[in-house]
Amino acid sequence: MVLENLGERLREGLKKIARSMVVDEAAINNLIKDIQRALLQADVDVSLVLEITKKIKDRAMKEKDVKGLDLRERIVNIVYNELVTFLGDERSEIIIEKKKPFKIMMVGVYGAGKTTTIGKLAKFYQKRGYKVAAVGLDVHRPAAPDQLKQICDSIKIPAYIDKEEKNALRIYKKYEKEFSKYDILIIDTAGRHGLDQELVQEIKEISDGIKPDEKILVVSADIGQAAQKLARGFHDACGVTGIIITKLDGTARGGGALSGAAASGARVKFIGVGEKVDDLEPFNPEGFVGRILGMGDIEALLEKAKEAMDEEKAGDISKRLLEGDFNLVDLYEQMEAMNKMGPLNKIIEMVPGFGQIKLPKEALKVQEGKLEKWREAMNSMTKSELENPDVLDGSRIQRVAKGSGVTGADIREMIKQYRMSKKMMRMMKGKDPEKLIKKFQSKMGKGIGM
Ligand SMILES: Nc1nc2c(ncn2[C@@H]2O[C@H](COP(=O)(O)OP(=O)(O)OP(=O)(O)O)[C@@H](O)[C@H]2O)c(=O)[nH]1
Ligand SMILES: [Mg+2]
């Protein structure tokens, strides 16, 4: 997983809070220290670290006495919220306008991943029904045109290159008439060792000649917090409209790159998480932080801690399951957990009195690849749609399909599975376990077994 070390350290800190008998100022201070250490080790800038941890501490102290809410849960939530804000809050997409072509220009220093990312972006949009082409304007590195062509060939989109021409704009002009055939044109440019005058001048010239709709700065995560300065520099030089951070899979310094990019004021649009053409994810701070913190795990842990403290009280998760208050994210997490270890048993275990029941292992397994589609679809849904999937009517399903590249049929299937699971959760409410399981098994045989 991306930023595994950072996630692990943050989770450790939160686990300590979840387990501690009293949550007093000393415990909060310890958590703050853990978070600071975790962020610094991920190469986040010291002043940013101090800023975010001060906010977390202030809120944890001030919001301590809100009635009716569990302090531990609230602290986990505060940490989650502040980290999301820290990484730019809401998801920021590239909005593809209806003009032909919509031009996306990639800029960045040497080796950042510009050319590779063109293949990933092209595939991303191609999957969503756009007609995409690329044009190679890196006239400095001799191997650049062939590299671009090879990448484009692999996903079957045209690459417009000219290995003889040494003037970038002239290459563009040569093919310009053809570009109106495409919805999206992605433009590769040359890198340099740093943001020097020569590079700035060249980017300005290309930019003035082409007038791109988006100027995307590609930054490698391994430069850590230097991303902030680089982003500011490129922005001052040529006005970037968004950032893609690459190589988040291969570095522990990604926290610095992500937070630095957010602090520069530019928005991170996508992250690169591998060398392959599919290793690109739209960047969504909420989902990203949730995954890093392993929110499911943390919630489960809070649950266990609570049960240990007070066996009588049913925890939130089991309560929510019993009441049928169950949303799409819960479904996804549940299915993901089941695919990993095959247990409806696990969920059942969390419901008081259901601990010993054995269910067929394959009962609720979702087909390989399907979960991935669901995740992409969920990425394109609004918060209220995730919380209440019943609002997803035909036109909304179409919008989600278009935004995610997943078919409407897949989305409908996900909703069907959601309704089925929710119904089961409702059925469990206050029923005799034996009878219930019989019902479960017959239901699952019919509808969910797949
Ligand atoms: N692990 C990993 N490697 C990546 C990622 N993105 C790019 N790379 C690798 O980084 C190296 C450089 O990528 P390029 O796409 O050639 O970089 P560039 O910015 O076009 O480089 P120049 O054109 O020379 O300026 C290649 O070996 C890529 O495979 C990523 O997200 N993860
Ligand atoms: Mg390149």
Side-chain angles (χ1 to χ4, degrees):
M1 195 181 92
V2 166
L3 293 184
E4 185 55 46
N5 290 339
L6 174 63
E8 209 165 287
R9 291 198 180 94
L10 290 172
R11 287 196 297 272
E12 275 309 311
L14 289 172
K15 275 183 197 167
K16 275 194 234 157
I17 277 275
R19 287 196 202 110
S20 57
M21 291 305 280
V22 255
V23 182
D24 52 8
E25 187 166 358
I28 292 174
N29 281 338
N30 272 335
L31 173 67
I32 294 297
K33 281 209 197 89
D34 286 339
I35 296 175
Q36 288 176 339
R37 233 172 285 147
L39 292 173
L40 287 172
Q41 265 159 359
D43 199 48
V44 179
D45 177 79
V46 181
S47 61
L48 293 178
V49 171
L50 294 177
E51 206 178 297
I52 181 180
T53 47
K54 181 175 184 307
K55 274 200 225 156
I56 292 173
K57 166 139 196 216
D58 287 352
R59 283 187 59 189
M61 297 301 292
K62 207 166 64 215
E63 295 171 25
K64 205 158 131 175
D65 298 322
V66 183
K67 251 197 186 160
L69 285 171
D70 181 307
L71 179 56
R72 287 172 182 79
E73 282 172 344
R74 204 165 36 251
I75 290 178
V76 173
N77 216 32
I78 290 171
V79 172
Y80 167 78
N81 280 336
E82 291 300 334
L83 283 172
V84 169
T85 308
F86 190 56
L87 292 184
D89 258 327
E90 301 207 322
R91 174 173 169 187
S92 162
E93 283 176 86
I94 296 178
I95 310 286
I96 307 291
E97 291 157 34
K98 277 208 181 96
K99 54 182 281 199
K100 285 194 163 191
F102 183 82
K103 296 172 232 169
I104 304 175
M105 181 167 95
M106 315 295 270
V107 300
V109 297
Y110 183 72
K114 298 177 289 298
T115 310
T116 312
T117 306
I118 288 178
K120 296 177 181 180
L121 262 189
K123 174 123 193 244
F124 180 87
Y125 288 117
Q126 194 186 34
K127 263 186 7 200
R128 282 155 183 76
Y130 293 100
K131 219 173 148 196
V132 188
V135 55
L137 303 189
D138 179 352
V139 289
H140 299 295
R141 203 161 56 80
D146 283 330
Q147 183 198 5
L148 182 68
K149 173 111 187 14
Q150 200 182 358
I151 289 173
C152 290
D153 282 351
S154 77
I155 51 169
K156 299 190 173 58
I157 68 155
Y160 290 89
I161 55 170
D162 183 335
K163 287 192 258 186
E164 309 308 321
E165 180 58 66
K166 290 297 165 211
N167 179 294
L169 261 185
R170 251 185 263 147
I171 299 179
Y172 185 84
K173 296 284 174 206
K174 177 175 158 190
Y175 297 117
E176 191 167 12
K177 274 200 217 83
E178 313 230 6
F179 296 150
S180 56
K181 288 195 292 211
Y182 303 100
D183 300 313
I184 298 173
L185 178 71
I186 312 182
I187 300 141
D188 194 18
T189 66
R192 291 283 199 293
H193 279 291
L195 183 64
D196 57 25
Q197 240 356 84
E198 230 182 313
L199 178 61
V200 169
Q201 195 49 40
E202 181 177 313
I203 290 170
K204 267 192 182 144
E205 269 167 32
I206 297 180
S207 183
D208 288 347
I210 294 178
K211 304 209 169 22
D213 300 289
E214 292 276 349
K215 283 174 251 182
I216 301 294
L217 173 64
V218 180
V219 176
S220 165
D222 56 25
I223 70 167
Q225 56 183 267
Q228 187 174 350
K229 211 171 140 224
L230 194 71
R232 287 221 174 106
F234 265 95
H235 188 66
D236 292 345
C238 65
V240 298
T241 56
I243 297 187
I244 294 180
I245 300 197
T246 61
K247 306 185 200 177
L248 263 171
D249 53 307
T251 174
R253 306 179 75 193
L258 280 168
S259 58
S264 79
R267 306 301 298 268
V268 178
K269 308 277 183 181
F270 289 92
I271 54 177
V273 294
E275 290 187 82
K276 291 201 283 302
V277 76
D278 285 311
D279 296 332
L280 183 79
E281 294 177 8
F283 183 61
N284 169 9
E286 286 184 349
F288 188 78
V289 173
R291 260 194 285 162
I292 283 197
L293 293 185
M295 290 306 268
D297 300 349
I298 294 282
E299 275 168 30
L301 200 94
L302 283 165
E303 213 46 46
K304 270 190 211 139
K306 252 195 254 169
E307 275 168 29
M309 279 183 288
D310 187 355
E311 300 254 30
E312 298 296 295
K313 276 186 199 158
D316 260 354
I317 292 183
S318 39
K319 213 166 72 195
R320 276 174 77 188
L321 293 181
L322 285 174
E323 283 165 4
D325 173 13
F326 176 74
N327 65 38
L328 267 186
V329 180
D330 295 328
L331 173 70
Y332 177 79
E333 281 173 359
Q334 176 192 323
M335 293 301 162
E336 194 181 36
M338 282 178 193
N339 271 11
K340 268 194 209 123
M341 42 197 187
L344 182 60
N345 297 348
K346 276 279 171 242
I347 303 228
I348 300 256
E349 269 169 23
M350 300 198 311
V351 183
F354 282 62
Q356 301 313 312
I357 293 153
K358 296 264 179 294
L359 279 169
K361 263 199 173 174
E362 303 300 313
L364 266 179
K365 220 169 146 83
V366 176
Q367 265 165 24
E368 196 84 13
K370 202 155 279 184
L371 265 185
E372 185 58 28
K373 285 187 185 158
W374 290 5
R375 188 164 72 85
E376 287 193 11
M378 285 184 199
N379 256 330
S380 284
M381 288 184 195
T382 64
K383 192 161 174 290
S384 70
E385 285 165 353
L386 286 172
E387 277 165 3
N388 179 21
D390 290 325
V391 303
L392 284 161
D393 55 17
S395 71
R396 285 196 189 207
I397 288 176
Q398 241 172 20
R399 195 211 70 228
V400 174
K402 180 102 186 152
S404 62
V406 171
T407 66
D410 279 321
I411 296 170
R412 279 190 197 91
E413 188 182 340
M414 172 175 78
I415 297 171
K416 192 174 140 208
Q417 175 110 31
Y418 156 77
R419 293 211 172 109
M420 194 73 90
S421 298
K422 183 170 167 172
K423 213 153 120 201
M424 292 201 306
M425 295 309 171
R426 277 224 184 94
M427 280 173 20
M428 285 163 69
K429 194 176 176 181
K431 293 280 172 60
D432 174 283
E434 291 270 313
K435 274 191 208 154
L436 254 174
I437 292 311
K438 287 212 180 85
K439 251 191 196 172
F440 258 35
Q441 283 165 333
S442 69
K443 279 265 171 202
M444 276 181 300
K446 271 186 222 139
I448 295 189
M450 294 181 190

